[in-house]
Amino acid sequence: MNIKKTVFLSAFTAALGYAAAGIYKVASIKAMPMHSPSDEDGGLIHVLLLCFENPEFAVSNNIVVNNNYIIRAMAAAKKYIDGRFDCMDFRMQTLLRLAYLYSERIKAISPQGWELLEQTFLNAKFWMTEPGNDSACYWSENHQLLFACAEFLAGQLWQDKVFSNDGALGIEHMHRAEKRIESWAQQRFYYGYSEFNSNNYYLFDAAPASNFIQFAQGCAKLKERMKICLDLLLYDIASGIFDFGFTVPTGRAYSYNLAGGKCDRIRGLTDFIWNLNNNHMSSTQSMLVNIVSMLRGKDKNGEPFYEVPPVIIEIGRDSADRIIKSSTSMDINELVKKGLVGHEDDQVMCQLSIEAFTNPQVIYDTFTYFNKNGLFTNKLVNYFSCLDLKMFNSKRVMTAISKKLNPMPNGIAMQRVNLYKYRTAYSMLASVHKYYPGMFGAQQFLSCANFGGNSIIFTNHPARDTDKGNTQVIPGYWAGFGRAPHIAQEKNIQIMLYDIPKISGFLELYMVPQYTHTYLPEAFFDEVCINHNYAFARKGGAYCAMIGSGRLSYLEFD
């Protein structure tokens, strides 16, 4: 008995030690910082581009583009991109436009500035499979194109030079990126935009597309495909604007995208396309400067690089009563059926463009891809490192956990949406029909009534309300949602049904608020009246009536 007991204790102690070693290994994986602790002069490259594009801006703002100015701008951009901080690919677009359009001017004014620009790209990292740890997001729909276009155009510009991060020549980077751009364009054409109707991120698709259309050489077919993708994006905008404001149900919205007016981050682009004002002449918004530069540009034959189709202009101006229906993205089961779950670039791009990470159909592929490419140090997906334990480290176990426990991150996935919009001369009411009722949410925005300007109404179930003043949390009190409603709409009538649980779900690390709320800004309507479970609002000649399941009243606004 003593021998058996000794053996058992020894085995138990060894197993405990093995488990402890695994836990220690996982716990010791520290995430890299996402942002630079200081970003002084971070926006100077965009100002520099606007000064070259519009010299009057430089004069009116007393900006002297000299050697010191260019060095400051390039040094700040290089510091950020060398640090491999998140959103470094945003800055790459402006640097490449400067390189392709104004290289001779930059070299003449500041040879050192040009050297900084060149070294920035020769030292850069462009994709998840390349060496090096960081906390940049490479995988969302807009970042995929931003990085691929930056890699292609940098490779094209410095074809015979060695890129130090992986030792590959520029021409190798160019060919790798071309394949990813082809996959991205094909997936948008067949499946639409997963970050659909994003008045935040559509700019970040249009800018790299603009740079590729204008500067890519020797790939005419792919450039035409990119123009088609831009047509589709602009159609989404034209068919989704009311009074030229683009606040509409979307796959990815932050709180500062929801309230109309200046919260509409693409308003500068719509103003330019529909010729509403000249604000683009003084805007240093990084993506807008690049897009407008391409739209205003001409090729060597004096022809525009891209023209917005006239029918899209007319759709945006149309004020007749219209029912507009669309379907975009894919359910995760569709990914599986189409063979788009796996480790090849096109598979990873399709899966991660809809931000499906932990869902049962993909969780093991996500884990093994991140593990293979050393991405556990990336702050955005660092939580996946906890699965790198013997007890979890199998497809069967991971799939079972996701399926049976349905963790909150399953709701991050932006799956297929069936969007219904009813637009009249007075307002637009839009909603996503029957989008996974009862499911968790992240940044999805499922319903909206737009009366123009800041006169926006929307209802959601807040994911958390412990800190109502924190507008940055996603999902939180304002952006995203806790549980999705069942929504149906017929013209100007919409029904939303909620089933709110009392107990938090797995990995939903906060209490579930037991109410829904409606954003109805009294200050931006001509009349608002609340009576028991009824609320009425008027803006000009447009009226809205809401009926709640319980008594309605205003909460104190923070």
Side-chain angles (χ1 to χ4, degrees):
M1 288 292 292
N2 288 339
I3 295 174
K4 287 182 179 180
K5 187 176 181 180
T6 302
V7 170
F8 173 77
L9 287 173
S10 298
F12 179 76
T13 303
L16 205 61
Y18 182 78
I23 293 169
Y24 177 78
K25 175 189 170 186
V26 166
S28 65
I29 299 174
K30 301 300 182 185
M32 303 289 289
M34 286 182 66
H35 304 292
S36 172
S38 64
D39 191 24
E40 190 178 356
D41 296 333
L44 280 189
I45 53 170
H46 313 307
V47 178
L48 177 62
L49 176 57
L50 186 60
C51 288
F52 284 153
E53 291 281 314
N54 179 22
E56 291 180 6
F57 174 81
V59 173
S60 61
N61 287 276
N62 298 315
I63 297 171
V64 179
V65 178
N66 55 22
N67 178 53
N68 288 337
Y69 191 91
I70 291 176
I71 288 174
R72 277 176 59 205
M74 296 305 174
K78 186 176 189 300
K79 179 183 176 183
Y80 196 90
I81 295 171
D82 281 353
R84 294 184 182 165
F85 297 115
D86 191 34
C87 301
M88 58 182 166
D89 46 333
F90 297 175
R91 305 180 191 215
M92 290 178 178
Q93 308 309 309
T94 296
L95 287 174
L96 284 163
R97 182 158 288 271
L98 286 166
Y100 273 90
L101 291 182
Y102 301 107
S103 59
E104 295 308 314
R105 193 180 302 187
I106 292 170
K107 290 174 184 176
I109 298 172
S110 178
Q112 185 181 347
W114 175 259
E115 180 67 18
L116 288 169
L117 187 156
E118 180 177 301
Q119 289 303 314
T120 298
F121 285 100
L122 294 180
N123 296 331
K125 178 181 177 181
F126 298 99
W127 191 233
M128 293 176 281
T129 55
E130 286 190 37
N133 296 328
D134 55 72
S135 282
C137 178
Y138 297 88
W139 51 80
S140 68
E141 184 174 69
N142 68 93
H143 284 294
Q144 289 177 12
L145 188 64
L146 285 156
F147 273 112
C149 288
E151 183 176 8
F152 180 94
L153 294 175
Q156 179 178 265
L157 197 58
W158 294 288
Q159 292 187 31
D160 299 323
K161 296 205 172 185
V162 174
F163 284 62
S164 61
N165 187 51
D166 63 355
L169 291 174
I171 195 166
E172 294 177 67
H173 278 280
M174 182 179 160
H175 292 321
R176 289 181 205 164
E178 184 176 2
K179 291 178 182 176
R180 298 206 308 279
I181 295 168
E182 175 74 44
S183 294
W184 189 93
Q186 186 178 65
Q187 289 169 15
R188 300 295 76 72
F189 182 78
Y190 284 117
Y191 313 126
Y193 288 85
S194 55
E195 296 173 330
F196 68 96
N197 291 342
S198 178
N199 72 28
N200 195 76
Y201 285 115
Y202 266 7
L203 284 179
F204 296 90
D205 296 316
S210 297
N211 287 349
F212 185 80
I213 289 167
Q214 183 168 352
F215 302 128
Q217 300 165 9
C219 47
K221 186 176 180 181
L222 186 51
K223 288 173 71 169
E224 286 303 311
R225 291 179 174 181
M226 193 57 64
K227 290 179 184 179
I228 292 171
C229 292
L230 201 47
D231 290 345
L232 294 172
L233 183 150
L234 294 176
Y235 167 75
D236 282 353
I237 294 173
S239 64
I241 55 177
F242 175 76
D243 191 30
F244 297 102
F246 190 54
T247 304
V248 67
T250 174
R252 290 194 68 193
Y254 299 92
S255 57
Y256 54 75
N257 301 135
L258 302 179
K262 291 182 179 180
C263 293
D264 176 4
R265 300 291 288 274
I266 67 160
R267 186 58 194 252
L269 179 58
T270 51
D271 284 351
F272 177 78
I273 289 174
W274 279 275
N275 197 26
L276 302 179
N277 55 53
N278 288 321
N279 289 347
H280 64 278
M281 300 291 286
S282 58
S283 174
T284 58
Q285 204 285 340
S286 58
M287 299 297 108
L288 184 64
V289 178
N290 283 271
I291 299 164
V292 169
S293 176
M294 185 277 289
L295 290 172
R296 295 173 67 192
K298 299 286 193 296
D299 64 18
K300 61 183 178 182
N301 298 317
E303 298 294 324
F305 295 105
Y306 171 85
E307 288 186 280
V308 179
V311 67
I312 287 178
I313 301 295
E314 292 306 309
I315 289 170
R317 290 178 177 153
D318 182 32
S319 60
D321 290 6
R322 301 289 185 191
I323 295 172
I324 306 165
K325 300 179 183 180
S326 59
S327 183
T328 190
S329 192
M330 284 193 289
D331 291 322
I332 299 172
N333 285 331
E334 292 180 85
L335 293 181
V336 177
K337 290 177 183 177
K338 294 177 185 293
L340 291 170
V341 176
H343 288 189
E344 297 300 320
D345 278 349
D346 63 326
Q347 295 172 317
V348 168
M349 289 171 68
C350 200
Q351 177 199 326
L352 296 187
S353 72
I354 69 171
E355 305 223 346
F357 298 102
T358 62
N359 308 75
Q361 304 93 323
V362 300
I363 185 169
Y364 187 72
D365 284 278
T366 308
F367 168 78
T368 50
Y369 184 81
F370 287 170
N371 192 21
K372 179 176 72 173
N373 292 296
L375 295 177
F376 292 158
T377 57
N378 189 305
K379 189 173 183 178
L380 293 163
V381 295
N382 175 253
Y383 63 91
F384 263 96
S385 63
C386 69
L387 294 176
D388 196 19
L389 293 170
K390 189 69 174 176
M391 66 183 84
F392 300 133
N393 206 336
S394 77
K395 184 173 185 178
R396 181 178 59 82
V397 172
M398 289 185 195
T399 303
I401 290 172
S402 179
K403 186 177 291 186
K404 292 180 180 179
L405 298 180
N406 187 29
M408 180 270 160
N410 284 0
I412 294 173
M414 299 173 292
Q415 301 193 64
R416 179 182 289 279
V417 294
N418 296 310
L419 182 62
Y420 185 105
K421 293 174 282 192
Y422 182 62
R423 188 168 72 180
T424 72
Y426 300 96
S427 64
M428 183 170 71
L429 180 66
S431 60
V432 176
H433 279 202
K434 196 182 178 182
Y435 181 81
Y436 291 88
M439 187 59 173
F440 308 106
Q443 291 180 261
Q444 300 96 328
F445 182 49
L446 301 181
S447 171
C448 177
N450 186 344
F451 295 88
N454 289 108
S455 303
I456 302 294
I457 302 174
F458 64 85
T459 297
N460 75 354
H461 170 237
R464 60 188 101 179
D465 63 0
T466 51
D467 186 2
K468 296 176 184 177
N470 189 339
T471 59
Q472 303 303 310
V473 174
I474 298 170
Y477 185 73
W478 294 108
F481 56 82
R483 294 297 186 282
H486 190 310
I487 305 178
Q489 180 180 334
E490 174 66 21
K491 290 190 174 179
N492 63 334
I493 299 172
Q494 182 187 103
I495 297 173
M496 305 177 77
L497 300 174
Y498 287 89
D499 184 9
I500 302 171
K502 295 188 182 301
I503 300 173
S504 301
F506 182 54
L507 295 184
E508 189 177 24
L509 306 178
Y510 31 84
M511 299 297 291
V512 181
Q514 295 299 298
Y515 60 90
T516 61
H517 62 168
T518 294
Y519 175 74
L520 174 57
E522 218 174 2
F524 297 118
F525 284 86
D526 298 324
E527 290 182 81
V528 172
C529 175
I530 297 175
N531 184 2
H532 195 64
N533 64 322
Y534 295 91
F536 303 93
R538 180 181 68 83
K539 173 71 181 297
Y543 294 81
C544 179
M546 289 165 281
I547 306 172
S549 61
R551 190 176 188 88
L552 303 177
S553 62
Y554 270 108
L555 294 170
E556 183 180 348
F557 181 74
D558 187 340

